[in-house]
Amino acid sequence: MTTAQFGRLNEDLLQEVQEHRNAEYPVHPIFLNRWSSRAFDDKEVSPETLNTILEAARWAPSSSNLQPWRFVVATTEAEKEQFQAFIKPNNRLWTDHAPVLLLLLSHKLRQDGELNGAHAFDTGAAWASIAFQAHLLGLATRAVGGYERDKAREVLSIPDEYELHAVIALGYRGSRDTLPESLRERELPNGRRPLNESIFN
């Protein structure tokens, strides 16, 4: 890729992203423009939009095509109240405002009953697909690890053969002013360590 082409990619970065993120090598702007927001607008996410996002996850790469990912979806107030029972209080300061909550699970077993060693790996690919498809549609996502897994399993009656991963908050991005003051200054795209620190020869 030429310097000019790299420059055009950088021009496609959102202003808020340009101030906080710089790619060392040319990548599509979607990888920098997508970031995990905590501020959500109260605008409803239509069933069609939600299903489009989950459809993208359906086509994630899958070892032996086992497709281990599963999604418990909460969109109504009653459903979200069930999630609120196991999300930790500091995360509820903002997850309570997300119009959609998803619990990401993976089925741990192969068809013969043996462990599928790729169940978590493949489900991570499904989560990435959710995050990028949501961004393409103008929505934001944030994965939440701060929840009580045993409580979630109990509340949602999840069988043992499923592993619980993250709660995903999903919706249209809102103003940082809607967040508690302690979170407002953190409502920014974050950076990444240099690429060479992640590569070993």
Side-chain angles (χ1 to χ4, degrees):
M1 176 170 286
T2 66
T3 302
Q5 289 171 320
F6 195 16
R8 283 196 294 274
L9 283 178
N10 287 334
E11 288 173 6
D12 291 333
L13 295 180
L14 300 173
Q15 182 63 42
E16 63 190 4
V17 170
Q18 289 182 25
E19 297 170 4
H20 298 280
R21 293 182 161 186
N22 292 293
E24 296 177 29
Y25 296 91
V27 295
H28 193 282
I30 190 174
F31 294 103
L32 278 72
N33 283 336
R34 188 224 64 83
W35 59 279
S36 299
S37 176
R38 290 183 181 88
F40 290 96
D41 191 82
D42 59 6
K43 179 181 176 181
E44 180 182 350
V45 177
S46 72
E48 292 79 9
T49 297
L50 178 56
N51 285 333
T52 292
I53 291 167
L54 296 178
E55 177 73 9
R58 175 179 172 236
W59 293 100
S62 176
S63 175
S64 300
N65 200 27
L66 291 176
Q67 307 167 53
W69 48 78
R70 302 290 189 276
F71 318 112
V72 181
V73 181
T75 57
T76 69
E77 289 307 311
E79 291 166 347
K80 288 190 284 185
E81 281 179 11
Q82 287 186 296
F83 276 59
Q84 289 162 5
F86 52 78
I87 295 175
K88 292 185 177 179
N90 59 323
N91 286 319
R92 283 196 54 195
L93 293 172
W94 54 272
T95 56
D96 280 5
H97 303 287
V100 178
L101 296 172
L102 308 168
L103 180 59
L104 191 60
L105 314 174
S106 60
H107 188 247
K108 297 186 291 186
L109 304 179
R110 301 177 64 86
Q111 293 169 331
D112 60 4
E114 294 297 314
L115 178 68
N116 171 13
H119 71 91
F121 182 79
D122 286 358
T123 302
W127 149 236
S129 299
I130 287 170
F132 287 118
Q133 182 63 65
H135 175 76
L136 287 169
L137 295 174
L139 286 82
T141 52
R142 189 176 183 94
V144 183
Y147 71 98
E148 299 177 44
R149 284 160 173 75
D150 290 343
K151 180 77 169 180
R153 188 179 294 279
E154 175 189 343
V155 168
L156 300 175
S157 302
I158 298 170
D160 289 342
E161 63 263 28
Y162 292 92
E163 183 167 327
L164 284 66
H165 296 287
V167 173
I168 311 300
L170 184 150
Y172 294 92
R173 183 168 288 132
S175 168
R176 73 179 62 189
D177 295 336
T178 63
L179 294 170
E181 190 172 347
S182 61
L183 294 176
R184 289 177 197 166
E185 62 184 28
R186 297 166 60 188
E187 186 66 3
L188 295 167
N190 52 23
R192 295 291 189 269
R193 64 174 172 261
L195 179 60
N196 64 9
E197 293 183 13
S198 298
I199 299 173
F200 300 93
N201 292 325

